[in-house]
Amino acid sequence: NIQQNYDSSRLKDASINTKMRNLSLQILPRDASSLIRLLGRHGALDSMLQFCRQYCKDISDIAEQSSGDNVFGESEAEEAILYAYTAAIAACSKPTSASLPTREEKSWENDSNYRSIEFLLSLLHEMEHGYFCGKHLVRPNSYTLTAVLLGVDGGLDALKVLDRFEKDYGNDGGARTVDDNDGIVTVQVYNAAISACSRSKNNSAEKRVSRIDGWQVALSILQRMRRYGPSPNDQTYANILQACAESGQINVALSLLKELQKSSFPLTSKIYLPLLKACANTRNVNVAQSLIESMKENSLRITIEHMNSYLSVVAKCKESARALEILNEMFDSKVGDQAIVPNLITLNTVLSACANSDDFESARDLLEQIKEGRFKVAARGGTNSRKSREDVIRPDIVSYNTVISCADPQMALELIHEMRLSRRNRDGVVLPNSVSFTNAINRCRVFINKSQSIDERDAVLDIALTLLELAGDDNVNVYVYSAAIWTAEAVGNYQAACS
C-alpha cells in the first residue's frame, strides 16, 4: 500500500515541491529502510531492489533540484541513499528462509544470484556512483561494508573482499564513518570477515577447501589486526574460535584460549561459547567440563546457552546420569553460585541424553516432571508476581519424540495415544507427526531384533501395523513406510513388507 501511494504520487504530481512533501511526509528515510528490510525478509528481492533504486533516484533528483532549499539537502539525500542501500545489501546477503509461507516457485527469486560477491559489490558500486548528491559521491560506512561481508562464504573470498576494502577505504578515502574517532574499516568489518571464515560454500567441492583454509585465514586476519589495527575485541576472538571449531581444529582453538588466559586481554563468556559447541561436535565431554570450570574460576557469567551446549556434549557422549546431575544443579541454582533457569531446550537435551543412553525410565520420569509443571519459565522482570499457566514449561513435539525413540513398543504406542488425546486439552496440545510414528515403528524393529520369541515378534509387528494405521494420510511419508517395511522384514513377514 505504501509503495502504491508512493508510485501514484510520483505519477500524479509533477512539481518538485509536491514530490518533496510526499517523500518527507509519507516515505521518510527510516520508513524506506524499513520497507526494504520487510521485502527482503519475505524474499521479494526484485521488488525490494526496484523500490530502492526508484526511491534513491527520486531522492537524488530532489536534492539536485532543490539546492539552496533547506527542505531536503545534499547531506540528507546522501544519508537516505546510504541507509537504503545498506538495508538492501544486508537483505541480499542473508539466505532467504525456505519455510516462509505462500512460497511460489515462479515468483521466488534464486538466492544464489543475489548472494554472490560480484552482485553485492555491484550494489556497493551502484550506491557510490549511481546518484548525484552535490560535489561528492555517496560513500559507505562500516555497516555497509559489514553487510557485504555477510554474503561472503569462505576464508579466501573474505580475505579478498577485506583487502579491497582496505585499499579503497583503509585511509577513510572520503568514506563516511560511524564514529568520528574511527575509520570506516572498523573492528566490526574485520569481525564480519573472520565470521565468513567459518562458513562454507554450497558447492561440495569448494566446501571442503573453504573449511580447511578458514581457520588459517582467520588467524592471519588476527595477526594483521594485532600489527596494524583495529584492536581485536571479544567478538573477534569468538569468531576465530568458531572458525577453528568448524574446521575441526579444536586443539588450535584451545591453544588460543590459553594464550588469552595468560595475556592481559579481558576474558568474557562470549569467547567460551564456540568452544563448547566444538566439544559437542568432537564429543569431548572432559574438555567441555574443564571449560565450564574455567568460567567459574574466572567469575564469568555462565548463561543458559553455555549450559545447553555443555549438555549437548554430554548427550552425544550418552551420559544420562551426568546430564540429570547437571540439570539438578541448575534447578537448585548451584552452577557457580549463579541462578541459571533451565528452558525447554535444556530439558529436551537431557531427554536426548537419556534416549542416547537407552535409559527410558529416566526419560519417562523427566517427561512426567515436565508435564506436572516442575519447571518454570525464567522470569523476565516486571512486578507482576501472579503465576499463570504460561509460567510453566510444557513438553513439545521434540520432547515426546525423544522419549518415544528409547521406549519399548507398547510404551511408544501409549505415548502416541497420549499425544493424539492432547487435542482435547485447553492448552499444551502436542499432536504426533511423521517423526513420532517413524520413531515408534523403529522401536518395534529394535525390539524384534532382540527378541527370540516368535509370538513376541508377531505381537510387536501388530503394534507396528497399528502405528502405521494410526499415522493416516497426514503423517505418512517415505520414512514411516520404510520403518514399517524394515520391521516386517525383521520378523520375516515378506508379505506384509511387500503390501
Side-chain angles (χ1 to χ4, degrees):
N1 288 337
I2 293 175
Q3 188 168 1
Q4 285 177 355
N5 293 335
Y6 175 64
D7 290 339
S8 63
S9 67
R10 290 182 56 256
L11 293 172
K12 251 196 299 188
D13 304 309
S15 70
I16 187 67
N17 290 330
T18 305
K19 188 184 289 187
M20 281 195 298
R21 184 169 61 252
N22 284 328
L23 284 169
S24 300
L25 298 179
Q26 280 194 11
I27 308 292
L28 297 173
R30 66 166 181 260
D31 297 329
S33 299
S34 297
L35 180 56
I36 289 169
R37 286 192 293 270
L38 175 67
L39 293 170
R41 280 197 303 271
H42 288 272
L45 299 182
D46 280 338
S47 300
M48 177 196 75
L49 291 173
Q50 180 183 357
F51 170 78
C52 176
R53 287 163 175 156
Q54 186 61 63
Y55 173 76
C56 291
K57 183 179 183 301
D58 288 345
I59 285 286
S60 176
D61 292 344
I62 291 169
E64 182 180 1
Q65 297 179 37
S66 61
S67 56
D69 193 332
N70 293 326
V71 176
F72 212 97
E74 294 173 356
S75 60
E76 289 84 357
E78 181 184 358
E79 188 173 77
I81 294 171
L82 171 65
Y83 290 163
Y85 265 86
T86 300
I89 292 172
C92 291
S93 295
K94 297 177 181 178
T96 307
S97 172
S99 61
L100 288 172
T102 65
R103 173 175 178 173
E104 297 180 7
E105 295 296 332
K106 292 183 180 180
S107 62
W108 196 261
E109 291 93 346
N110 187 355
D111 294 339
S112 61
N113 294 335
Y114 295 97
R115 196 175 185 270
S116 66
I117 299 175
E118 293 76 14
F119 182 76
L120 295 172
L121 290 176
S122 71
L123 283 180
L124 181 63
H125 182 271
E126 181 181 299
M127 180 194 77
E128 291 189 79
H129 303 280
Y131 305 96
F132 175 84
C133 287
K135 298 180 181 180
H136 51 84
L137 304 175
V138 179
R139 303 294 277 174
N141 60 21
S142 61
Y143 294 116
T144 317
L145 303 187
T146 300
V148 173
L149 284 164
L150 290 175
V152 178
D153 298 330
L156 294 179
D157 286 342
L159 189 59
K160 290 178 184 177
V161 175
L162 184 62
D163 287 340
R164 174 170 175 168
F165 288 165
E166 281 286 8
K167 178 182 177 181
D168 294 344
Y169 315 111
N171 295 320
D172 290 356
R176 299 170 64 89
T177 60
V178 177
D179 191 309
D180 292 336
N181 299 321
D182 295 329
I184 181 174
V185 189
T186 61
V187 65
Q188 177 187 13
V189 177
Y190 274 87
N191 289 348
I194 294 172
S195 179
C197 295
S198 63
R199 294 193 293 268
S200 57
K201 299 182 179 180
N202 292 328
N203 186 291
S204 58
E206 296 178 332
K207 182 181 292 187
R208 182 173 62 257
V209 177
S210 63
R211 281 283 174 88
I212 292 174
D213 67 53
W215 68 278
Q216 296 172 325
V217 174
L219 289 175
S220 69
I221 294 175
L222 173 63
Q223 294 302 323
R224 181 189 298 189
M225 295 175 71
R226 286 175 170 176
R227 290 178 184 175
Y228 309 111
S231 299
N233 56 19
D234 61 342
Q235 188 62 56
T236 308
Y237 288 107
N239 290 352
I240 292 172
L241 293 171
Q242 179 67 29
C244 292
E246 291 293 335
S247 302
Q249 300 294 328
I250 183 67
N251 292 330
V252 176
L254 292 173
S255 297
L256 180 57
L257 177 63
K258 290 180 181 179
E259 178 186 329
L260 292 175
Q261 290 172 336
K262 294 178 181 178
S263 68
S264 58
F265 185 85
L267 293 174
T268 65
S269 58
K270 184 185 296 185
I271 293 174
Y272 284 81
L273 192 56
L275 286 173
L276 287 167
K277 292 180 179 179
C279 290
N281 294 333
T282 58
R283 302 188 179 187
N284 199 327
V285 69
N286 293 328
V287 172
Q289 183 178 1
S290 67
L291 290 171
I292 294 294
E293 294 298 329
S294 176
M295 294 183 71
K296 295 177 185 178
E297 292 172 3
N298 290 281
S299 301
L300 297 177
R301 180 170 174 263
I302 302 175
T303 66
I304 187 61
E305 194 172 2
H306 290 94
M307 294 307 299
N308 288 347
S309 297
Y310 178 31
L311 282 168
S312 179
V313 185
V314 176
K316 290 184 177 181
C317 292
K318 303 180 181 181
E319 297 191 16
S320 59
R322 183 185 289 198
L324 291 167
E325 181 182 349
I326 294 170
L327 178 62
N328 289 329
E329 289 180 359
M330 294 174 66
F331 187 72
D332 296 333
S333 300
K334 293 179 181 178
V335 181
D337 296 326
Q338 301 178 40
I340 304 177
V341 181
N343 57 20
L344 184 57
I345 296 175
T346 312
L347 301 175
N348 284 342
T349 306
V350 177
L351 287 173
S352 178
C354 297
N356 292 341
S357 306
D358 209 18
D359 186 359
F360 172 71
E361 295 300 326
S362 297
R364 182 178 61 178
D365 290 344
L366 179 56
L367 180 63
E368 291 299 322
Q369 291 179 45
I370 300 173
K371 291 193 296 184
E372 291 169 2
R374 179 192 178 195
F375 302 97
K376 309 293 183 182
V377 177
R380 297 186 179 181
T383 58
N384 187 1
S385 61
R386 186 175 62 182
K387 299 295 181 183
S388 68
R389 287 178 175 266
E390 299 304 321
D391 294 324
V392 177
I393 297 177
R394 299 190 179 280
D396 64 355
I397 187 68
V398 176
S399 310
Y400 276 96
N401 288 349
T402 304
V403 177
I404 289 172
S405 69
C406 65
D408 62 58
Q410 186 59 43
M411 286 303 306
L413 179 60
E414 291 180 13
L415 286 169
I416 291 290
H417 281 306
E418 180 181 320
M419 296 169 73
R420 285 164 56 85
L421 291 174
S422 69
R423 70 176 75 243
R424 302 176 181 177
N425 298 345
R426 220 172 140 184
D427 50 18
V429 178
V430 184
L431 298 177
N433 59 13
S434 59
V435 177
S436 312
F437 288 101
T438 301
N439 288 353
I441 296 173
N442 276 332
R443 292 305 295 175
C444 295
R445 178 167 60 91
V446 171
F447 184 86
I448 287 172
N449 289 333
K450 293 180 179 180
S451 176
Q452 299 297 325
S453 171
I454 297 178
D455 292 338
E456 284 184 352
R457 291 156 65 95
D458 290 338
V460 171
L461 178 60
D462 290 338
I463 293 177
L465 296 176
T466 300
L467 289 166
L468 183 61
E469 184 179 352
L470 290 174
D473 295 335
D474 295 335
N475 292 305
V476 168
N477 60 16
V478 66
Y479 299 106
V480 178
Y481 273 119
S482 296
I485 292 170
W486 291 335
T487 304
E489 287 180 339
V491 177
N493 191 334
Y494 295 104
Q495 183 179 357
C498 291
S499 66

